[in-house]
Amino acid sequence: MNGDSLILNFFGGVSRDGSSWAVDFDMVLYELARWLLFIGICLLAQGVWFEKWRKIEPLACYRYTTIKIWWRWKFFRSLLNGVLAAAVLFIAVIVTDIINIGGFSDEGWKVFILWFVHIITIITFFLVLDLTRLRKLAPAILLLLEGITFLVGFLNMKISWFMYGMWGMYFQSRWYYGETGVSVLSSLITEGILIILSYLIGGILLKRTAQK
């Protein structure tokens, strides 16, 4: 446990050291499940919004002159809704921390940056999957991707920098572990690139669907 801070406990990720010879894997799985909990809540909120929007989408899309403009609007509107849901969740936990422990630490800001960029990346992946036949399985797929890539990186720290599930975790980053942690800069840059690619791929999928 990381003191009484809910920000660190729920948004900081897994605090165990994968390079240690004495790793408590029960705690690793517990902390991983705790990490996935709030990600799952954000995906659930996004999924509810998608289903609600899908009912009026055929009528709304006629307002836009091209598929490109329609996708741009849908992408950024959906992303905004997901970001707002994540922000509300994070702020609620911040308020709880302020009440319980009397403040918000410098570590909290680092946790916020890594988690928030990571959740934006996850939401953009959800947006792309929602355009495919896998839309109903999207939350499960994304949670599995998160959990499996983390475990692979944790069990083999030599490749942890390349594992998507490690990127959003403050406790696995260089900000916490120093040089042995996952590079913060490369993680943020890679996630930024993935967000852009998701936007481009989504536009291609939507165009192909409209042509059928």
Side-chain angles (χ1 to χ4, degrees), residues 13 18 45 51 54 56 64 69 94 102 104 109 118 142 180 183 196:
E51 290 303 318
R54 215 182 313 280
I56 62 172
Y64 301 88
I69 295 174
I94 289 176
F104 185 63
W109 289 112
H118 195 61
L142 292 171
T180 60
S183 171
I196 295 171

Side-chain angles (χ1 to χ4, degrees), residues 123-135:
I123 291 169
T124 57
F125 287 171
F126 195 176
L127 274 162
V128 174
L129 287 173
D130 190 64
L131 299 174
T132 71
R133 295 178 180 179
L134 298 173
R135 65 166 62 105

Side-chain angles (χ1 to χ4, degrees), residues 12-193:
V14 177
S15 63
R16 309 295 113 178
D17 183 359
S19 62
S20 172
W21 288 100
V23 178
D24 185 345
F25 281 100
D26 287 339
M27 282 301 298
V28 169
L29 294 176
Y30 170 73
E31 291 182 354
L32 179 60
R34 191 170 58 187
W35 162 262
L36 294 175
L37 174 63
F38 279 5
I39 292 177
I41 292 173
C42 290
L43 290 175
L44 177 62
Q46 189 73 356
V48 169
W49 188 85
F50 281 153
E51 290 303 318
K52 182 179 179 180
W53 177 248
R54 215 182 313 280
K55 295 177 181 178
I56 62 172
E57 190 172 35
L59 299 174
C61 66
Y62 287 110
R63 300 176 185 175
Y64 301 88
T65 55
T66 66
I67 294 174
K68 183 178 180 180
I69 295 174
W70 162 242
W71 169 241
R72 184 192 307 155
W73 185 89
K74 179 178 180 178
F75 182 88
F76 288 106
R77 176 64 185 275
S78 301
L79 188 60
L80 177 61
N81 278 278
V83 167
L84 287 175
V88 168
L89 191 63
F90 201 92
I91 290 171
V93 177
I94 289 176
V95 171
T96 304
D97 261 9
I98 292 173
I99 294 172
N100 289 340
I101 62 178
F104 185 63
S105 67
D106 291 338
E107 282 185 309
W109 289 112
K110 295 176 181 178
V111 170
F112 172 77
I113 292 170
L114 290 175
W115 186 82
F116 211 67
V117 174
H118 195 61
I119 204 68
I120 291 172
T121 308
I122 293 172
I123 291 169
T124 57
F125 287 171
F126 195 176
L127 274 162
V128 174
L129 287 173
D130 190 64
L131 299 174
T132 71
R133 295 178 180 179
L134 298 173
R135 65 166 62 105
K136 292 183 179 180
L137 298 174
I141 291 172
L142 292 171
L143 289 175
L144 281 173
L145 176 64
E146 185 79 16
I148 290 172
T149 53
F150 167 77
L151 289 173
V152 170
F154 187 82
L155 294 173
N156 188 349
M157 294 301 291
K158 293 180 180 179
I159 62 171
S160 62
W161 291 10
F162 304 100
M163 291 294 104
Y164 163 79
M166 309 283 284
W167 296 343
M169 294 188 179
Y170 167 71
F171 287 126
Q172 297 298 321
S173 73
R174 283 187 178 179
W175 277 342
Y176 185 76
Y177 272 124
E179 290 302 314
T180 60
V182 176
S183 171
V184 172
L185 182 60
S186 64
S187 297
L188 294 177
I189 291 174
T190 303
E191 288 184 309
I193 293 171

